[in-house]
Amino acid sequence: MSMFLRRVLASGASKRAVHAPVRSFSHDAKRNAAFATWNADDKRFFEQLLRPEAVLTDLDDTASYTTDWLKKYKAHSAHQMVLKPKTTEQVSAILKYCNERGLPVVPQGGNTGLVGGSVPVHDEIVLSLGSMNNVLSFDEVSGILVCEAGCILENLDNYVAKHGYMMPLDLGAKGTCQIGGNVSTNAGGLRLLRYGSLHGTVLGVEAVLADGTVVDALSTMRKDNTGYDLKQLFIGSEGTLGVITKVSILTPPRSSSVNVALLGCEDFESVQKAFVEAKQHLGEVLSAVEFLDRQSLDMVLSQQDWTKDPLESSYPYYLLIETSGSNTEHDMEKLEAYLESAMTKGMVVDGTVAQDAVQARKLFMIREDITLALSQRGYVYKYDVSLPISQYYDIVKDTRDRLEEFGAKVVGYGHLGDCNLHLNVSTLEYDERVFQALEPFVFEWTSKYRGSISAEHGIGTHKPEYLHLSKEKNAINLMRQMKQMMDPKGILNPYKVLPETSA
Amino acid sequence: MSMFLRRVLASGASKRAVHAPVRSFSHDAKRNAAFATWNADDKRFFEQLLRPEAVLTDLDDTASYTTDWLKKYKAHSAHQMVLKPKTTEQVSAILKYCNERGLPVVPQGGNTGLVGGSVPVHDEIVLSLGSMNNVLSFDEVSGILVCEAGCILENLDNYVAKHGYMMPLDLGAKGTCQIGGNVSTNAGGLRLLRYGSLHGTVLGVEAVLADGTVVDALSTMRKDNTGYDLKQLFIGSEGTLGVITKVSILTPPRSSSVNVALLGCEDFESVQKAFVEAKQHLGEVLSAVEFLDRQSLDMVLSQQDWTKDPLESSYPYYLLIETSGSNTEHDMEKLEAYLESAMTKGMVVDGTVAQDAVQARKLFMIREDITLALSQRGYVYKYDVSLPISQYYDIVKDTRDRLEEFGAKVVGYGHLGDCNLHLNVSTLEYDERVFQALEPFVFEWTSKYRGSISAEHGIGTHKPEYLHLSKEKNAINLMRQMKQMMDPKGILNPYKVLPETSA
């Protein structure tokens, strides 16, 4: 999806989304009356603490911080402040002050999230980490990188590439998103299948708690069993338990050989079998198993500059297989053996293998262009779920049946290798009936099979009211206790992640 | 080390360790006077809740539960009870009861730990999970296993092997240790280099809190960003925050091809270079990078049935490189190319590659036999640290210099690929002067370079008083708050992990 975000940002196509009415109870939450409102004295304090240029209050200056990039979520208040600290000490002083004053704060990285987690709901102060963007150290032997939270993911990837390494995560927003935001939201993306989640690859964080306390859990060790693994508290908690200021992360060696194949399958059972076969044959070089249905491909063909099918015939299901390794010849040999086996066994009916990097890029762009094609067509209802592999496609079928009468197009695609499905519904204009038919239907369907209602995008303000469909009562209670313990005044990213207590 | 534990357990060689005086402030902690002492009524309650055979109080029956396998840590009291629940509901009822009564509890898996974490210090009730040993589900497509906490690691590995998968962790105690204990202690071991830590491979846990509340965080999804990642609280907290009753874990495809090479290096800089070269050349098939110094090899040669050096000459440093992949020919070709490059560049002076599985096993046994040889020689002072790669061997040299006058043998070996060093010191008999020279010297040395004083073994009762050398004050305070929140009466595994408040 990397091309997508950059293209959208460049072309202004994102303006299409301005009309999007976001239905989010939490984003419509009433302002918490216990919070203070920042005033001229507060502003003066921050200007002295930082420097005047690091304190923004003009709406022209704050606008890009108080709306998300798709312009779906926008702060309700015109009383806005953005702070741009340069050091951990400044972050600590800001939070200590805000906690004492009862001023709520929204930590913000690249502001590329999809669930409204990084923008204020009302007049929360935006704490932008973007000015803390130094690489602090890189160990060429171990591949361990330590950097500040505001480093842009793509810059880090380029930095470690010079030493033969790569970042263990790659996602569409890489040119804009920041590593601190990635870690705070436990970003997934394309490399998760191979390198695992950030809960495993992040070795340490430095984080500032709501009261300004700096917690140094910035280990650079792969193995460290000394007490509770505190960094985990900050990975994926979306800035509600603390503000990540530094990150230590393990980077894997960069692959010199990358191959891509697009395969057509006749039924979803064959898709599953072809996936297992890929794991057996490609084993250690398998780096992505992406899925798209015919409807997704049709969407791309109808909206983009693709003149014809990538395969000779049309198939209901497609797999996009990527290998990454250290020896091109070996990898290609493995890929060919896999394809022969999968086709002999009838799991795969037809396929094409990219012969060079340009072709590989083109095949991958089919998958990446789905999102763009959808947004070009009209309004998109987006869902990001994890499901057991056997139910992975059933939800698409059921949703399609359910929406038939409204003429909505339902497409299914995603990271099959991680059981992560992007279920997207397209209508020419926003249609309330479609929305009503989708929510909570999709979440409840997912819940029935113990899936996740948010595989990689997080909860933000979009889904707190549905959290109970993925997490049971005792678990949510424990989350509340954690929040209460670490941020008793609730100043960190309020209205996000956890549902209102009355819910 | 897999052979080691099984041999020791089988041969009774562990009795050698009986004389070991363990210096552990925490294991000598005074009994907490706030705790109740179990009585006949309590026993009756448990017998009714479970069944009479599941409640052990005879010292003959409880002995193996109240001493660790090396017989270093032993409960100080003769008033012992062991409970063997079969269901989560029973675990919940036991904890609810104990919490109300103020009875302390030690959760116990296979009792194979090395830091006294799984045995009572005084009269804590042992909650043995061994009777909860059912596999609950295995998904052949995704490789996701769900099982009860008491399943033995090796049994699980054999179980998934039938489907072409392997457990993502492998350690010496695999024939005895249980998955619940592995997860509670965040066990490391041989496969961590390739498959990462349990923080990444464990997908979910079911855990029972101190008050009996069952927290279902048993996700079977690789991606699940719905709220705080609660399972992380229980991974590596050594049973002090909750009792793990079920585990969901991602298992990788089993490798059909395994190659092993032993290499000799002239200096530690060459060792580091050879490691980097291995990552570049072997990339995706590299599965272990183990290190041993000449002193470790000498220890094995002098104590075991090894008649001669594995290489023609003697070298100060050795690397044991393992590859695991899906294609023998490819893997061997990569390994040969690596060796040629490393030898041409002078990083490696000599080496041998196993020609078959028997030879491979034999090479690996040199590494595994170090521990056994040490324990056969006399008394062993064992340290398990993580250090930045550039300081990895310096601690061995400094310790050797420091102990020269006492005639102690100092050896260094370990998982170099994870920067994890096992620093072991051998004397014929226990020598208090050696102990005094080692502690806190080793911990302080490690702390100076921001290493970890416990890379994989955990804290248990051995190291709470040194926790501050790996974790700073604010971090330890946050750990205390977590403990206070989740176990306000402190009944779960008392005297472990966190230092006494007065410390």
Side-chain angles (χ1 to χ4, degrees):
Chain A
M1 289 197 282
S2 60
M3 291 301 293
F4 170 52
L5 181 56
R6 274 174 290 166
R7 268 191 244 158
V8 167
L9 291 174
S11 69
S14 66
K15 292 203 181 93
R16 298 194 67 97
V18 176
H19 65 145
V22 173
R23 303 295 300 259
S24 162
F25 299 108
S26 196
H27 196 73
D28 293 335
K30 274 220 308 236
R31 188 177 183 287
N32 181 342
F35 290 144
T37 303
W38 65 264
N39 58 32
D41 286 345
D42 300 321
K43 187 178 173 185
R44 213 167 300 120
F45 171 84
F46 292 127
E47 283 174 344
Q48 279 167 8
L49 174 69
L50 311 174
R51 56 202 191 290
E53 324 76 277
V55 181
L56 316 178
T57 51
D58 275 8
L59 288 184
D60 284 350
D61 300 331
T62 60
S64 64
Y65 297 86
T66 58
T67 313
D68 72 314
W69 66 279
L70 278 173
K71 310 220 188 305
K72 282 198 170 190
Y73 301 91
K74 194 172 183 303
H76 299 310
S77 165
H79 186 65
Q80 296 295 341
M81 183 189 283
V82 176
L83 302 178
K84 302 174 77 174
K86 284 189 86 74
T87 65
T88 300
E89 292 66 37
Q90 290 178 348
V91 174
S92 169
I94 291 168
L95 289 181
K96 185 168 186 292
Y97 182 88
C98 287
N99 193 53
E100 280 165 10
R101 276 274 290 128
L103 291 167
V105 172
V106 181
Q108 187 177 94
N111 196 16
T112 61
L114 291 165
V115 291
S118 56
V119 294
V121 174
H122 298 286
D123 58 349
E124 302 95 277
I125 294 171
V126 175
L127 183 63
S128 168
L129 279 293
S131 300
M132 292 178 64
N133 55 5
N134 296 297
V135 169
L136 301 174
S137 70
F138 182 69
D139 185 315
E140 293 201 35
V141 178
S142 61
I144 294 166
L145 172 78
V146 183
C147 64
E148 291 180 323
C151 292
I152 288 172
L153 178 60
E154 193 167 47
N155 295 350
L156 293 176
D157 200 49
N158 292 337
Y159 179 90
V160 299
K162 281 184 262 169
H163 305 279
Y165 290 89
M166 67 196 285
M167 293 299 284
L169 76 162
D170 181 24
L171 63 159
K174 67 179 161 195
T176 311
C177 67
Q178 297 168 10
I179 191 69
N182 295 150
V183 175
S184 299
T185 58
N186 188 31
L190 294 171
R191 292 177 189 163
L192 189 134
L193 175 77
R194 175 74 160 265
Y195 302 108
S197 89
L198 292 170
H199 286 286
T201 51
V202 170
L203 301 180
V205 303
E206 176 191 79
V208 184
L209 303 184
D211 66 0
T213 303
V214 179
V215 176
D216 176 356
L218 197 64
S219 170
T220 53
M221 300 293 120
R222 279 199 77 171
K223 285 180 169 176
D224 178 19
N225 278 345
T226 54
Y228 307 154
D229 192 4
L230 297 178
K231 67 171 180 284
Q232 304 291 353
L233 295 171
F234 307 101
I235 303 177
S237 54
E238 303 185 35
T240 61
L241 298 181
V243 178
I244 293 176
T245 44
K246 288 174 191 151
V247 171
S248 160
I249 191 165
L250 181 72
T251 70
R254 213 166 187 92
S255 301
S256 56
S257 154
V258 176
N259 292 304
V260 177
L262 182 78
L263 315 175
C265 299
E266 286 290 13
D267 50 62
F268 193 72
E269 211 191 320
S270 297
V271 170
Q272 293 182 57
K273 285 182 184 163
F275 170 42
V276 175
E277 194 81 0
K279 290 206 286 186
Q280 306 292 351
H281 272 81
L282 301 172
E284 64 278 5
V285 295
L286 188 63
S287 55
V289 180
E290 296 290 309
F291 165 84
L292 53 151
D293 60 11
R294 179 69 209 184
Q295 290 81 352
S296 299
L297 180 59
D298 282 339
M299 187 64 69
V300 174
L301 295 178
S302 69
Q303 296 289 327
Q304 302 284 48
D305 304 334
W306 297 90
T307 46
K308 67 179 189 69
D309 263 28
L311 302 181
E312 275 180 28
S313 301
S314 165
Y315 299 96
Y317 306 102
Y318 297 88
L319 276 177
L320 195 66
I321 303 273
E322 185 195 64
T323 66
S324 307
S326 55
N327 184 311
T328 312
E329 208 179 300
H330 291 173
D331 294 2
M332 193 53 100
E333 222 176 275
K334 286 191 179 89
L335 187 57
E336 279 164 8
Y338 161 62
L339 292 177
E340 198 186 316
S341 170
M343 291 180 84
T344 306
K345 293 177 181 167
M347 301 162 180
V348 168
V349 190
D350 193 11
T352 178
V353 177
Q355 296 304 312
D356 55 38
V358 176
Q359 283 190 21
R361 182 83 209 109
K362 208 169 169 190
L363 283 182
F364 237 90
M365 271 175 63
I366 297 177
R367 159 71 180 83
E368 293 179 345
D369 277 351
I370 301 168
T371 323
L372 185 54
L374 281 162
S375 83
Q376 286 179 337
R377 182 173 183 266
Y379 190 76
V380 197
Y381 312 78
K382 297 177 89 69
Y383 301 95
D384 158 50
V385 299
S386 282
L387 282 168
I389 193 89
S390 46
Q391 273 84 39
Y392 186 87
Y393 200 71
D394 291 345
I395 192 172
V396 183
K397 289 182 183 162
D398 284 4
T399 305
R400 199 169 279 148
D401 288 348
R402 190 175 166 86
L403 296 183
E404 201 177 3
E405 57 180 308
F406 307 119
K409 284 188 191 283
V410 179
V411 309
Y413 62 97
H415 315 291
L416 182 90
D418 311 319
C419 296
N420 179 189
L421 174 80
H422 295 310
L423 168 70
N424 279 220
V425 176
S426 163
T427 52
L428 294 175
E429 296 292 335
Y430 176 78
D431 185 333
E432 177 71 16
R433 296 167 309 161
V434 172
F435 175 80
Q436 294 293 346
L438 282 167
E439 293 189 25
F441 168 77
V442 170
F443 301 132
E444 285 173 353
W445 200 105
T446 304
S447 175
K448 201 165 60 185
Y449 295 100
R450 291 187 64 97
S452 168
I453 62 161
S454 190
E456 51 180 18
H457 296 167
I459 298 294
T461 62
H462 184 194
K463 299 173 203 164
E465 306 314 312
Y466 297 117
L467 186 61
H468 68 279
L469 292 173
S470 270
K471 293 290 155 74
E472 45 95 63
K473 194 170 123 276
N474 290 343
I476 295 176
N477 283 346
L478 184 52
M479 292 180 201
R480 282 193 203 287
Q481 283 180 273
M482 289 168 66
K483 173 71 176 174
Q484 176 64 28
M485 174 189 87
M486 294 181 67
D487 179 18
K489 291 188 174 177
I491 64 157
L492 280 177
N493 225 1
Y495 322 112
K496 318 276 170 75
V497 185
L498 296 175
E500 291 281 315
T501 319
S502 57
Chain B
M1 289 197 281
S2 61
M3 290 302 293
F4 171 52
L5 180 57
R6 273 175 291 165
R7 269 191 244 157
V8 168
L9 291 174
S11 68
S14 65
K15 292 205 182 91
R16 297 193 68 97
V18 175
H19 66 145
V22 173
R23 304 293 302 259
S24 162
F25 300 108
S26 196
H27 195 73
D28 293 334
K30 271 220 310 234
R31 188 177 183 285
N32 181 342
F35 290 143
T37 304
W38 65 263
N39 57 33
D41 285 344
D42 300 321
K43 187 178 174 187
R44 212 166 302 120
F45 172 83
F46 292 127
E47 283 174 344
Q48 278 167 9
L49 175 70
L50 310 174
R51 56 201 191 292
E53 326 74 276
V55 181
L56 316 179
T57 51
D58 276 9
L59 288 183
D60 283 350
D61 299 332
T62 60
S64 64
Y65 297 87
T66 57
T67 312
D68 72 313
W69 66 279
L70 278 173
K71 310 221 187 305
K72 281 198 171 189
Y73 300 92
K74 195 172 183 302
H76 298 311
S77 164
H79 185 66
Q80 296 294 341
M81 182 188 284
V82 176
L83 301 178
K84 302 174 77 175
K86 283 188 86 75
T87 66
T88 300
E89 292 67 35
Q90 290 178 347
V91 174
S92 168
I94 290 168
L95 289 180
K96 184 169 188 292
Y97 182 88
C98 288
N99 194 51
E100 280 164 9
R101 276 274 290 129
L103 291 167
V105 172
V106 182
Q108 187 179 93
N111 195 17
T112 61
L114 291 164
V115 291
S118 57
V119 294
V121 174
H122 299 285
D123 57 348
E124 302 94 276
I125 295 172
V126 175
L127 183 63
S128 167
L129 278 294
S131 300
M132 292 178 63
N133 55 5
N134 295 298
V135 169
L136 301 174
S137 70
F138 183 70
D139 185 316
E140 294 200 35
V141 178
S142 61
I144 293 165
L145 171 77
V146 182
C147 65
E148 291 181 322
C151 292
I152 288 173
L153 179 60
E154 192 168 47
N155 295 350
L156 293 175
D157 200 48
N158 292 337
Y159 179 90
V160 300
K162 283 184 263 169
H163 305 280
Y165 290 89
M166 66 197 286
M167 293 299 284
L169 76 161
D170 181 23
L171 63 159
K174 68 178 159 195
T176 311
C177 67
Q178 296 168 12
I179 190 70
N182 296 149
V183 175
S184 299
T185 58
N186 188 31
L190 295 170
R191 293 178 188 162
L192 190 134
L193 174 77
R194 175 75 160 265
Y195 302 108
S197 89
L198 292 170
H199 286 287
T201 51
V202 170
L203 301 180
V205 303
E206 176 191 78
V208 184
L209 304 182
D211 67 0
T213 302
V214 179
V215 176
D216 176 356
L218 197 63
S219 170
T220 53
M221 300 292 118
R222 279 199 78 170
K223 285 179 168 176
D224 177 20
N225 278 346
T226 53
Y228 309 154
D229 192 4
L230 298 178
K231 67 172 180 282
Q232 304 292 353
L233 296 171
F234 307 101
I235 302 176
S237 53
E238 303 184 35
T240 62
L241 298 181
V243 178
I244 293 176
T245 43
K246 287 175 192 151
V247 171
S248 159
I249 191 165
L250 182 71
T251 69
R254 212 166 187 91
S255 302
S256 55
S257 153
V258 176
N259 292 304
V260 177
L262 182 79
L263 314 175
C265 299
E266 286 289 15
D267 50 61
F268 194 72
E269 210 190 320
S270 297
V271 169
Q272 293 182 58
K273 285 183 184 162
F275 170 42
V276 175
E277 193 81 359
K279 291 206 286 185
Q280 306 291 351
H281 271 80
L282 301 173
E284 65 277 5
V285 295
L286 189 62
S287 55
V289 180
E290 296 291 309
F291 165 83
L292 53 152
D293 60 11
R294 178 69 209 182
Q295 290 79 354
S296 298
L297 180 59
D298 281 339
M299 188 63 69
V300 174
L301 294 178
S302 69
Q303 297 289 327
Q304 302 285 51
D305 303 334
W306 297 91
T307 45
K308 66 179 191 68
D309 261 29
L311 302 181
E312 275 180 28
S313 302
S314 166
Y315 299 97
Y317 305 103
Y318 296 88
L319 275 178
L320 195 66
I321 303 273
E322 186 194 64
T323 67
S324 308
S326 55
N327 185 311
T328 312
E329 208 179 299
H330 291 172
D331 294 2
M332 192 54 99
E333 222 176 274
K334 288 191 178 89
L335 187 57
E336 280 164 6
Y338 161 63
L339 292 178
E340 197 185 317
S341 171
M343 291 180 85
T344 306
K345 292 177 182 167
M347 303 162 180
V348 168
V349 190
D350 192 12
T352 178
V353 178
Q355 296 304 310
D356 55 38
V358 176
Q359 282 188 21
R361 183 81 210 112
K362 207 168 169 192
L363 284 181
F364 236 89
M365 270 175 62
I366 297 177
R367 160 69 180 84
E368 293 180 345
D369 277 350
I370 301 168
T371 323
L372 185 55
L374 282 161
S375 82
Q376 286 178 338
R377 181 173 182 266
Y379 189 76
V380 196
Y381 312 78
K382 297 177 90 69
Y383 301 95
D384 160 50
V385 299
S386 282
L387 283 168
I389 193 88
S390 47
Q391 275 83 38
Y392 186 87
Y393 199 71
D394 291 346
I395 192 173
V396 183
K397 288 183 183 161
D398 285 4
T399 305
R400 198 169 279 147
D401 289 349
R402 189 174 168 86
L403 296 184
E404 201 178 1
E405 57 181 306
F406 307 118
K409 285 188 190 284
V410 178
V411 308
Y413 62 96
H415 314 291
L416 181 90
D418 311 318
C419 298
N420 179 188
L421 174 80
H422 294 311
L423 168 70
N424 280 219
V425 175
S426 164
T427 52
L428 294 176
E429 295 293 335
Y430 176 78
D431 186 334
E432 177 71 17
R433 296 167 310 161
V434 172
F435 175 80
Q436 294 293 344
L438 283 167
E439 293 190 25
F441 168 76
V442 171
F443 300 132
E444 286 172 354
W445 200 106
T446 304
S447 176
K448 200 165 61 186
Y449 294 100
R450 289 188 65 97
S452 169
I453 62 160
S454 189
E456 50 179 19
H457 296 167
I459 297 296
T461 61
H462 184 193
K463 300 172 201 164
E465 307 314 313
Y466 297 117
L467 186 62
H468 68 278
L469 292 173
S470 270
K471 293 292 155 74
E472 47 94 64
K473 192 171 124 276
N474 289 344
I476 295 175
N477 282 346
L478 184 52
M479 292 181 201
R480 280 194 205 287
Q481 283 180 272
M482 289 168 65
K483 174 71 176 175
Q484 176 64 29
M485 174 189 86
M486 294 180 68
D487 179 18
K489 291 187 175 178
I491 65 156
L492 280 177
N493 226 2
Y495 323 111
K496 317 278 170 75
V497 184
L498 297 175
E500 292 281 314
T501 318
S502 59

